[in-house]
Amino acid sequence: MTTNKKAFTLRLKPENFEKIKYIADKNKRSIAKQIEYVLEQHIEEFEEKEAKDKKGDSITKE
């Protein structure tokens, strides 16, 4: 299966890895999908805050 996602190495403290693994298991996601989900949520919150602060600017490049 082909994907257009970027691959990279992520180093985490062991305790953070275990916490993410626990949350991922609870949400029936892989660790990678859980990290992606959390990042997407954070980006969405950031962009909403930025839109209020800067009248609609976003970090998305077009």
Side-chain angles (χ1 to χ4, degrees):
M1 183 163 80
T2 305
T3 180
N4 63 348
K5 294 183 178 185
K6 300 277 185 180
F8 69 99
T9 301
L10 175 65
R11 288 171 173 59
L12 298 170
K13 294 178 184 177
E15 59 270 19
N16 287 338
F17 180 85
E18 292 303 320
K19 290 176 183 181
I20 292 169
K21 182 179 182 315
Y22 177 83
I23 295 166
D25 289 344
K26 287 286 190 180
N27 290 323
K28 296 181 172 46
R29 292 186 179 109
S30 68
I31 295 169
K33 287 288 187 185
Q34 184 65 38
I35 292 169
E36 185 176 18
Y37 174 79
V38 170
L39 288 172
E40 288 171 351
Q41 294 299 307
H42 182 73
I43 291 167
E44 185 177 309
E45 290 171 11
F46 177 85
E47 288 182 329
E48 287 173 3
K49 183 180 179 293
E50 285 292 299
K52 290 177 186 174
D53 293 346
K54 295 185 179 182
K55 300 178 185 173
D57 289 349
S58 80
I59 62 172
T60 306
K61 292 181 181 179
E62 295 185 34

